[in-house]
Amino acid sequence: MTQIYEGMFLLDNQVVREGWSDAKALVTSTLEKHGGKILSARRWDERRLAYPIKSSLRATYLLTYYELPPEGIAGMRLDFDLSEKVMRYLHLCVDAVPEGEADLAAAENADDFVVPTPPEDDAPDVEEQPEGEPEAAKKAEEKSSDAPADAAEAPADKPADSEKSAEAPAAPAGDASANTETADTAKES
Amino acid sequence: MARRVPKVIAGKNCDDPIIDYKDTEYLTKFLTPQGQILSRRRSGFCAQCQKQLKSAVKRARHLSLLPFVG
């Protein structure tokens, strides 16, 4: 009796750059070699890793659903453990293939589907760039819009500051005199 | 001295939450800034859901979707 499994494979971006179909075939052929039947296989994501694996900072995830006889599991595990192109893999039992998964896999197999080339390890995340730039631009605009207002307020503030500064030395002087007075009175007494 | 009440993130009645290792955004809600899994007291999950959370986080860590530390 065969069981349906979900497999998530972490592929080295260097392999993916050489060709997505070859990278995908690397996993699917290994599964088929051990008696597996691929139900769906698609590129799940390409993202920055939470921690470096074999000095790689980015990798591509391949999500597959397959049927595999129990005799093939040990051999499959051994093959993926020894493979340097598959950095990590996760092999889970599932009841059924989730809805919509087959459609996504079929969409990837279409002729017009183009798998984007994975960026270099040093490259920043694509999502961060567009968000970061407008924010920076907004902040710059806010600063520029605030600057004249501050400048306009500044002259009004300055006299107040100058008054304060003028008053400030007076208070300690007064206090000092008060202190001296109390000291004098203490002496007198 | 009054006992400090911990901040509960999920409701006490966790009605069959979908805890998947691929949904890192959801899982991060139940992690400390250092990457530790929150206790049941703070996550508000029942024992069964807390176990699912634990498994999902550990699977995500293995695939480098979530960090072990930090």
Side-chain angles (χ1 to χ4, degrees):
Chain A
M1 186 188 164
T2 55
Q3 164 77 41
I4 299 176
Y5 295 100
E6 175 184 321
M8 181 71 96
F9 297 90
L10 192 54
L11 299 173
D12 192 355
N13 269 354
Q14 197 61 42
V15 181
V16 177
R17 277 188 206 106
E18 288 168 10
W20 173 245
S21 55
D22 293 341
K24 198 168 153 183
L26 181 81
V27 173
T28 53
S29 62
T30 308
L31 292 170
E32 284 167 352
K33 191 176 89 178
H34 295 285
K37 182 189 168 193
I38 308 297
L39 302 174
S40 84
R42 69 177 176 95
R43 178 184 178 274
W44 182 64
D45 201 5
E46 193 284 325
R47 59 171 69 183
R48 182 173 292 278
L49 301 175
Y51 53 89
I53 301 174
K54 292 179 184 172
S55 70
S56 295
L57 300 175
R58 301 186 75 96
T60 305
Y61 291 85
L62 172 70
L63 180 64
T64 59
Y65 289 90
Y66 49 91
E67 286 178 358
L68 198 66
E71 310 87 65
I73 293 173
M76 180 212 72
R77 283 187 178 277
L78 184 65
D79 278 355
F80 286 129
D81 284 341
L82 294 175
S83 173
E84 289 185 352
K85 294 170 182 175
V86 178
M87 295 154 76
R88 293 281 166 96
Y89 68 93
L90 188 68
H91 173 75
L92 301 171
C93 288
V94 290
D95 297 330
V97 180
E99 288 178 16
E101 196 63 38
D103 296 337
L104 290 168
E108 188 179 297
N109 292 330
D111 294 334
D112 56 342
F113 185 82
V114 180
V115 176
T117 311
E120 293 294 326
D121 278 0
D122 303 335
D125 287 340
V126 181
E127 291 172 3
E128 287 174 7
Q129 274 183 333
E131 286 174 6
E133 283 175 359
E135 280 178 12
K138 276 181 189 174
K139 281 179 183 175
E141 282 176 10
E142 282 172 10
K143 278 182 185 175
S144 60
S145 62
D146 289 346
D150 291 342
E153 287 170 6
D157 289 342
K158 270 183 184 174
D161 290 342
S162 60
E163 282 171 14
K164 280 178 189 173
S165 59
E167 285 173 7
D175 290 342
S177 61
N179 288 339
T180 51
E181 282 173 10
T182 50
D184 291 342
T185 49
K187 276 179 187 175
E188 283 171 7
S189 62
Chain B
M1 188 177 164
R3 189 171 151 226
R4 196 166 65 89
V5 180
K7 187 186 168 190
V8 177
I9 291 174
K12 285 234 170 178
N13 49 347
C14 50
D15 294 332
D16 194 18
I18 301 162
I19 301 174
D20 188 14
Y21 71 93
K22 296 189 283 292
D23 192 357
T24 50
E25 206 171 311
Y26 180 69
L27 294 178
T28 334
K29 287 181 188 175
F30 305 103
L31 297 179
T32 64
Q34 284 78 32
Q36 294 168 310
I37 304 171
L38 292 184
S39 65
R40 270 183 66 195
R41 268 179 76 194
R42 292 197 62 194
S43 68
F45 279 138
C46 65
Q48 195 182 354
C49 296
Q50 183 74 12
K51 256 184 191 177
Q52 289 176 13
L53 174 71
K54 182 196 75 174
S55 301
V57 169
K58 288 184 178 185
R59 283 168 183 168
R61 282 176 182 167
H62 173 68
L63 287 172
S64 192
L65 292 169
L66 289 176
F68 281 93
V69 177

